[in-house]
Amino acid sequence: MGNKLNLSRFYKACNPSYTLNMGVILDRQYYIDFSDVRGCKIVEELQRTISRISPDEPTCQLFTGHIGCGKSTELQRLKAELELAGFHVVYFESSQDLDMADIDISDILLSVARQVSVSLEAIGVKPKAGYFTNLFKEIGDFLQTPIELSGEAEFSLGIAKITAKTKDSTQLRNQLRQYLEPRTNSILQAINEEILEKATEQLKLRGQKGLVVIVDNLDRVDMRPMASGRTQPEYLFIDRGEQLRRLKCHVVYTIPLALIFSNEYEALKNRLGGGIAPKVLPMVLVRQRDGSDYDPGMSLLRQLVLARAFPEFPSEQRETFITELFDASETLDRLCRVSGGHIRNLLGLLYSCLQRQDPPFSRDCLEAVIKDYRDDLLLAIDECQWELLFEVVQQQSVKGESDYQSLLRSMYLFEYRDPRGRWFGISPALAETEKVVAWQQLK
């Protein structure tokens, strides 16, 4: 074992649930720019829309992709680049504020208002929220639980208190929603006039270009059906999309990938996107349509693994340390191939290897980890889904029906982009199962 590998740091860096933060030097060293091999430069497009095309007029942009394919990391990069361009950026993970199984429009609006206020209070910009002082008092009376706010208390504190009161009680939450629902438009107006517009003025006086709010993790909203028969995402992003769009600052929302395949995609695009299609982050292209390796993608995925182990070395030098991590470079290639270009998948497999042994990892160790991962996937697939999977393998495309949505959500299918356009492939770990192999021999 060489002395270049810091094992405990490597272990931390491979944690699949960790999002890189571009404000941290070490995390910047871990970051690999995959835009060339994803077939799209999404961060650049989101940033240009805000800083070049429409710096002074609010924009509302939608961003989606598979869970775990690297969206949060890309949004962190967007935040860093917009800050360099002179914007004040409020980035937050909505899943920390909201219960993803049960969200209404007022929850999202109040969450944005709170996060913006906290962020501005931290730099000494204090919104005077007259409307909300009254609203909080009324809510307190209505819920029969007084919400005490001293005269100069931060506005964000009021929302935090309400959220805390309703978080654990579904009944209180429903009561509060019934109370807020008819007031949604006036709440929106107050957020715009008392918080967002005032903030933008103040920021511009300080020489900044404006305010950007990035709402991450809204793509994790549960697909559950509501009383109306709509799914929760359809209700929030399509039925109520026009209201989410009306915030008077630049907003980037992450939305569930399934909505891209919904019959109401056009309505989503028009109501929430203002006529602009959501940007979809595909997988890193590691294989071509005929199943052969795509070398540029493979090479960048190798870099991803090596950068997590040897961040302080330049990329060309890292290649020489492969044998400190794996018994052979083929083992690393096997890991990259089987991940299908899905970042969290790749890190998850690597993390599982680390849980079994110290590097260098043997091929046997990796194969055992892959087998466990494949068995987990296999457990959940039913006969109807196999039929659909075989169809996709044959056609490399997906139709809009909800059956396919479940295949994408369950990570059985991955989406890629190449010069010919978008195509879909079955998860490489599934492609090796006896069932798929036998089916392909019959073809």
Side-chain angles (χ1 to χ4, degrees), residues 224-275:
R224 70 178 179 85
M226 302 181 60
S228 60
R230 308 281 277 163
T231 63
Q232 192 174 231
E234 285 170 337
Y235 164 71
L236 287 173
F237 302 111
I238 298 173
D239 302 349
R240 308 300 297 270
E242 282 166 357
Q243 288 178 314
L244 283 180
R245 207 190 139 64
R246 275 175 35 207
L247 291 170
K248 291 270 180 71
C249 65
H250 298 286
V251 192
V252 178
Y253 289 114
T254 48
I255 61 169
L257 183 64
L259 288 173
I260 301 293
F261 301 97
S262 151
N263 303 334
E264 294 184 76
Y265 175 66
E266 284 302 314
L268 168 80
K269 190 167 108 179
N270 292 320
R271 287 184 199 168
L272 182 55

Coordinates of all heavy atoms in Angstrom, one line a residue, residues 224-275:
R224 N -47.6 10.3 -4.9 CA -48.8 9.7 -4.4 C -50.0 10.4 -5.1 O -50.0 11.6 -5.3 CB -48.9 9.9 -2.9 CG -49.1 11.3 -2.4 CD -49.2 11.4 -0.9 NE -49.3 12.8 -0.5 CZ -50.4 13.4 -0.5 NH1 -51.6 12.9 -0.8 NH2 -50.5 14.7 -0.1
P225 N -51.1 9.7 -5.3 CA -52.3 10.3 -5.8 C -53.0 11.1 -4.8 O -53.0 10.7 -3.6 CB -53.2 9.1 -6.3 CG -52.6 7.9 -5.5 CD -51.2 8.2 -5.1
M226 N -53.6 12.2 -5.2 CA -54.4 13.0 -4.2 C -55.9 12.8 -4.4 O -56.3 12.1 -5.3 CB -54.0 14.5 -4.5 CG -52.5 14.7 -4.3 SD -52.0 16.4 -4.6 CE -52.9 17.3 -3.3
A227 N -56.7 13.4 -3.5 CA -58.1 13.1 -3.5 C -58.7 13.5 -4.9 O -59.6 12.8 -5.4 CB -58.8 14.0 -2.5
S228 N -58.1 14.5 -5.6 CA -58.6 14.9 -6.9 C -58.3 13.9 -8.0 O -58.8 14.0 -9.1 CB -58.0 16.2 -7.3 OG -56.6 16.0 -7.3
G229 N -57.5 12.9 -7.7 CA -57.1 11.9 -8.7 C -55.8 12.3 -9.4 O -55.2 11.5 -10.1
R230 N -55.3 13.5 -9.1 CA -54.0 14.0 -9.7 C -52.9 13.4 -8.8 O -53.1 13.2 -7.6 CB -53.9 15.5 -9.7 CG -55.0 16.2 -10.3 CD -54.9 16.2 -11.8 NE -54.1 17.3 -12.2 CZ -53.6 17.3 -13.5 NH1 -53.8 16.3 -14.3 NH2 -52.8 18.3 -13.9
T231 N -51.7 13.2 -9.4 CA -50.6 12.9 -8.5 C -50.1 14.3 -7.8 O -50.4 15.3 -8.4 CB -49.4 12.3 -9.2 OG1 -48.9 13.3 -10.2 CG2 -49.8 11.0 -10.0
Q232 N -49.4 14.1 -6.7 CA -49.0 15.3 -6.0 C -48.1 16.2 -6.9 O -48.3 17.4 -7.0 CB -48.2 14.9 -4.8 CG -47.9 16.1 -3.8 CD -47.3 15.6 -2.5 OE1 -47.8 16.0 -1.5 NE2 -46.2 14.9 -2.6
P233 N -47.1 15.7 -7.7 CA -46.3 16.5 -8.6 C -47.2 17.2 -9.7 O -46.9 18.4 -10.0 CB -45.3 15.6 -9.2 CG -45.2 14.5 -8.3 CD -46.6 14.3 -7.7
E234 N -48.2 16.5 -10.2 CA -49.0 17.2 -11.3 C -49.8 18.4 -10.6 O -49.9 19.4 -11.2 CB -50.0 16.2 -11.8 CG -49.4 15.2 -12.8 CD -50.4 14.0 -13.1 OE1 -51.4 13.8 -12.4 OE2 -50.2 13.4 -14.2
Y235 N -50.3 18.1 -9.4 CA -51.0 19.2 -8.8 C -50.1 20.4 -8.5 O -50.4 21.5 -8.8 CB -51.6 18.7 -7.4 CG -52.0 19.8 -6.5 CD1 -53.1 20.6 -6.8 CD2 -51.2 20.1 -5.4 CE1 -53.5 21.6 -5.9 CE2 -51.6 21.1 -4.5 CZ -52.7 21.9 -4.8 OH -53.1 22.9 -4.0
L236 N -48.9 20.1 -7.9 CA -48.0 21.3 -7.6 C -47.4 22.0 -8.8 O -47.5 23.2 -8.8 CB -46.8 20.7 -6.7 CG -47.1 20.3 -5.3 CD1 -45.9 19.7 -4.7 CD2 -47.6 21.5 -4.4
F237 N -46.9 21.2 -9.7 CA -46.1 21.9 -10.8 C -46.9 22.2 -12.0 O -46.5 23.0 -12.8 CB -44.9 21.0 -11.2 CG -44.0 20.7 -10.0 CD1 -43.9 19.4 -9.4 CD2 -43.3 21.7 -9.4 CE1 -43.1 19.2 -8.3 CE2 -42.5 21.5 -8.3 CZ -42.4 20.2 -7.8
I238 N -48.1 21.5 -12.2 CA -48.9 21.8 -13.4 C -50.1 22.7 -13.0 O -50.3 23.8 -13.4 CB -49.3 20.5 -14.1 CG1 -48.0 19.8 -14.6 CG2 -50.2 20.9 -15.3 CD1 -48.3 18.5 -15.2
D239 N -50.9 22.1 -12.1 CA -52.2 22.9 -11.7 C -51.8 24.2 -11.0 O -52.5 25.2 -11.2 CB -53.0 22.0 -10.7 CG -53.4 20.7 -11.4 OD1 -53.2 20.5 -12.6 OD2 -53.9 19.8 -10.6
R240 N -50.7 24.2 -10.2 CA -50.4 25.4 -9.5 C -49.1 26.1 -10.0 O -48.5 26.9 -9.4 CB -50.2 25.1 -8.0 CG -51.3 24.4 -7.3 CD -52.7 25.1 -7.4 NE -52.7 26.4 -6.7 CZ -53.0 26.5 -5.4 NH1 -53.4 25.5 -4.7 NH2 -53.0 27.7 -4.8
G241 N -48.7 25.6 -11.2 CA -47.4 26.1 -11.8 C -47.4 27.6 -11.9 O -46.3 28.2 -11.7
E242 N -48.5 28.2 -12.3 CA -48.5 29.6 -12.6 C -48.1 30.4 -11.3 O -47.5 31.4 -11.4 CB -49.8 30.1 -13.2 CG -49.9 29.7 -14.7 CD -51.3 29.8 -15.2 OE1 -52.3 30.1 -14.5 OE2 -51.5 29.5 -16.4
Q243 N -48.6 29.9 -10.2 CA -48.3 30.6 -9.0 C -46.8 30.5 -8.6 O -46.2 31.4 -8.1 CB -49.2 30.1 -7.8 CG -50.7 30.7 -8.0 CD -51.6 30.2 -7.0 OE1 -51.6 29.0 -6.6 NE2 -52.4 31.0 -6.5
L244 N -46.3 29.3 -8.7 CA -44.9 29.1 -8.4 C -44.0 29.9 -9.3 O -42.9 30.3 -8.9 CB -44.5 27.6 -8.6 CG -44.9 26.6 -7.5 CD1 -44.5 25.2 -7.9 CD2 -44.4 27.0 -6.2
R245 N -44.5 30.3 -10.5 CA -43.7 31.0 -11.4 C -43.7 32.5 -11.1 O -42.9 33.3 -11.6 CB -44.4 30.8 -12.8 CG -43.5 31.0 -14.0 CD -44.2 31.0 -15.3 NE -43.6 32.0 -16.1 CZ -42.3 32.0 -16.5 NH1 -41.6 30.9 -16.2 NH2 -41.8 33.0 -17.2
R246 N -44.6 32.9 -10.2 CA -44.8 34.4 -10.1 C -43.9 35.0 -9.0 O -44.1 36.2 -8.7 CB -46.3 34.7 -9.7 CG -47.1 34.8 -11.0 CD -48.6 34.9 -10.7 NE -49.0 35.7 -9.6 CZ -50.1 35.5 -8.9 NH1 -51.0 34.6 -9.3 NH2 -50.4 36.3 -7.9
L247 N -42.9 34.3 -8.5 CA -42.0 34.9 -7.6 C -41.1 36.0 -8.3 O -40.6 35.6 -9.4 CB -41.1 33.9 -6.9 CG -41.9 32.9 -5.9 CD1 -41.0 31.8 -5.5 CD2 -42.3 33.7 -4.7
K248 N -41.0 37.1 -7.7 CA -40.3 38.2 -8.4 C -38.7 38.2 -8.2 O -38.2 39.1 -7.6 CB -40.8 39.6 -7.9 CG -42.2 39.9 -8.4 CD -42.3 40.6 -9.7 CE -43.7 40.9 -10.2 NZ -44.3 41.9 -9.5
C249 N -38.1 37.1 -8.5 CA -36.7 37.0 -8.5 C -36.3 35.8 -9.5 O -37.2 35.2 -10.0 CB -36.1 36.8 -7.1 SG -36.6 35.2 -6.4
H250 N -35.1 35.6 -9.7 CA -34.7 34.4 -10.5 C -34.9 33.2 -9.7 O -34.4 33.1 -8.6 CB -33.2 34.5 -11.0 CG -33.0 35.7 -11.8 ND1 -33.4 35.8 -13.1 CD2 -32.3 36.9 -11.5 CE1 -33.0 37.0 -13.6 NE2 -32.4 37.7 -12.7
V251 N -35.6 32.2 -10.2 CA -35.8 31.0 -9.5 C -35.4 29.8 -10.4 O -35.7 29.8 -11.6 CB -37.3 30.8 -9.1 CG1 -37.4 29.6 -8.1 CG2 -37.9 32.0 -8.5
V252 N -34.8 28.8 -9.8 CA -34.5 27.5 -10.4 C -35.2 26.4 -9.5 O -34.9 26.3 -8.4 CB -33.0 27.2 -10.6 CG1 -32.8 25.8 -11.2 CG2 -32.3 28.3 -11.4
Y253 N -36.2 25.7 -10.1 CA -36.8 24.6 -9.4 C -36.3 23.3 -9.9 O -36.3 23.1 -11.1 CB -38.3 24.6 -9.6 CG -39.1 25.8 -9.0 CD1 -39.7 26.8 -9.8 CD2 -39.2 25.9 -7.6 CE1 -40.5 27.8 -9.2 CE2 -40.0 26.9 -7.0 CZ -40.6 27.9 -7.8 OH -41.3 28.9 -7.2
T254 N -36.1 22.3 -9.0 CA -35.9 20.9 -9.5 C -37.3 20.3 -9.5 O -38.0 20.4 -8.5 CB -35.0 20.1 -8.5 OG1 -35.4 20.4 -7.2 CG2 -33.5 20.6 -8.7
I255 N -37.6 19.6 -10.5 CA -38.9 18.9 -10.6 C -38.7 17.4 -10.9 O -37.7 17.0 -11.4 CB -39.8 19.6 -11.7 CG1 -39.2 19.4 -13.1 CG2 -40.1 21.0 -11.4 CD1 -40.1 19.8 -14.2
P256 N -39.7 16.6 -10.5 CA -39.6 15.1 -10.8 C -39.4 14.8 -12.2 O -40.2 15.3 -13.1 CB -40.9 14.6 -10.2 CG -41.4 15.6 -9.2 CD -41.0 16.9 -9.8
L257 N -38.5 13.9 -12.5 CA -38.3 13.4 -13.9 C -39.6 12.9 -14.6 O -39.8 13.0 -15.8 CB -37.2 12.3 -13.9 CG -36.8 11.8 -15.3 CD1 -36.1 12.9 -16.1 CD2 -35.8 10.6 -15.1
A258 N -40.4 12.2 -13.7 CA -41.6 11.6 -14.3 C -42.5 12.6 -15.1 O -43.2 12.3 -16.0 CB -42.4 11.0 -13.2
L259 N -42.4 13.9 -14.7 CA -43.3 14.9 -15.3 C -42.9 15.1 -16.8 O -43.7 15.5 -17.6 CB -43.2 16.2 -14.6 CG -43.9 16.3 -13.2 CD1 -43.6 17.6 -12.5 CD2 -45.4 16.1 -13.4
I260 N -41.7 14.8 -17.1 CA -41.2 14.9 -18.5 C -42.0 13.9 -19.4 O -42.1 14.1 -20.6 CB -39.7 14.6 -18.6 CG1 -38.9 15.6 -17.7 CG2 -39.2 14.7 -20.0 CD1 -39.0 17.0 -18.1
F261 N -42.4 12.8 -18.8 CA -43.1 11.8 -19.6 C -44.6 11.8 -19.4 O -45.3 10.9 -19.8 CB -42.6 10.4 -19.2 CG -41.1 10.3 -19.4 CD1 -40.2 10.5 -18.4 CD2 -40.6 10.0 -20.7 CE1 -38.8 10.4 -18.6 CE2 -39.2 10.0 -20.9 CZ -38.3 10.2 -19.9
S262 N -45.0 12.9 -18.8 CA -46.5 13.0 -18.5 C -47.2 13.5 -19.7 O -46.6 14.2 -20.6 CB -46.7 14.1 -17.3 OG -47.9 14.7 -17.5
N263 N -48.5 13.1 -19.9 CA -49.3 13.6 -21.0 C -49.4 15.1 -21.0 O -49.8 15.7 -22.0 CB -50.7 13.0 -21.0 CG -50.5 11.4 -21.0 OD1 -49.5 10.9 -21.5 ND2 -51.5 10.8 -20.5
E264 N -49.2 15.7 -19.8 CA -49.4 17.1 -19.7 C -48.1 17.9 -19.7 O -48.0 19.0 -19.1 CB -50.2 17.4 -18.4 CG -51.5 16.8 -18.5 CD -52.4 17.2 -17.3 OE1 -52.8 18.3 -17.2 OE2 -52.5 16.3 -16.4
Y265 N -47.1 17.3 -20.4 CA -45.8 18.0 -20.4 C -45.9 19.4 -21.0 O -45.3 20.3 -20.5 CB -44.9 17.1 -21.3 CG -43.5 17.7 -21.5 CD1 -42.6 17.9 -20.5 CD2 -43.1 18.2 -22.8 CE1 -41.4 18.5 -20.7 CE2 -41.9 18.7 -23.0 CZ -41.0 18.9 -21.9 OH -39.8 19.5 -22.1
E266 N -46.7 19.6 -22.0 CA -46.8 20.9 -22.6 C -47.4 21.9 -21.6 O -47.0 23.1 -21.6 CB -47.7 20.9 -23.9 CG -47.0 20.3 -25.1 CD -45.7 21.0 -25.5 OE1 -45.8 22.3 -25.6 OE2 -44.7 20.4 -25.7
A267 N -48.4 21.4 -20.8 CA -49.0 22.3 -19.8 C -47.9 22.7 -18.8 O -47.9 23.9 -18.4 CB -50.2 21.7 -19.2
L268 N -47.1 21.8 -18.4 CA -46.1 22.1 -17.4 C -45.1 23.1 -18.0 O -44.7 24.1 -17.3 CB -45.3 20.8 -17.2 CG -44.0 20.9 -16.4 CD1 -44.2 21.1 -14.9 CD2 -43.0 19.8 -16.6
K269 N -44.7 22.9 -19.3 CA -43.8 23.8 -19.9 C -44.3 25.2 -20.0 O -43.6 26.2 -19.7 CB -43.5 23.2 -21.3 CG -42.4 23.8 -22.1 CD -42.0 23.0 -23.3 CE -42.5 23.8 -24.5 NZ -42.1 23.0 -25.8
N270 N -45.6 25.3 -20.3 CA -46.2 26.7 -20.4 C -46.5 27.3 -19.1 O -46.2 28.5 -18.9 CB -47.4 26.6 -21.3 CG -47.1 26.3 -22.7 OD1 -46.1 26.7 -23.2 ND2 -47.8 25.4 -23.4
R271 N -47.1 26.6 -18.2 CA -47.5 27.2 -16.9 C -46.3 27.5 -16.0 O -46.2 28.6 -15.4 CB -48.5 26.3 -16.2 CG -49.8 26.3 -16.9 CD -50.8 25.5 -16.1 NE -51.9 25.1 -16.9 CZ -52.8 24.2 -16.6 NH1 -52.7 23.6 -15.4 NH2 -53.8 23.8 -17.3
L272 N -45.5 26.5 -15.8 CA -44.4 26.7 -14.8 C -43.1 27.2 -15.5 O -42.4 28.0 -15.0 CB -44.1 25.5 -14.0 CG -43.0 25.5 -12.9 CD1 -43.3 26.6 -11.9 CD2 -42.9 24.2 -12.2
G273 N -42.9 26.7 -16.7 CA -41.7 27.0 -17.5 C -41.8 28.3 -18.3 O -40.8 28.7 -18.9
G274 N -43.0 28.8 -18.4 CA -43.2 30.0 -19.2 C -42.9 29.8 -20.7 O -42.3 30.6 -21.4
G275 N -43.1 28.5 -21.2 CA -42.9 28.2 -22.6 C -41.5 27.6 -22.8 O -41.2 27.1 -23.9

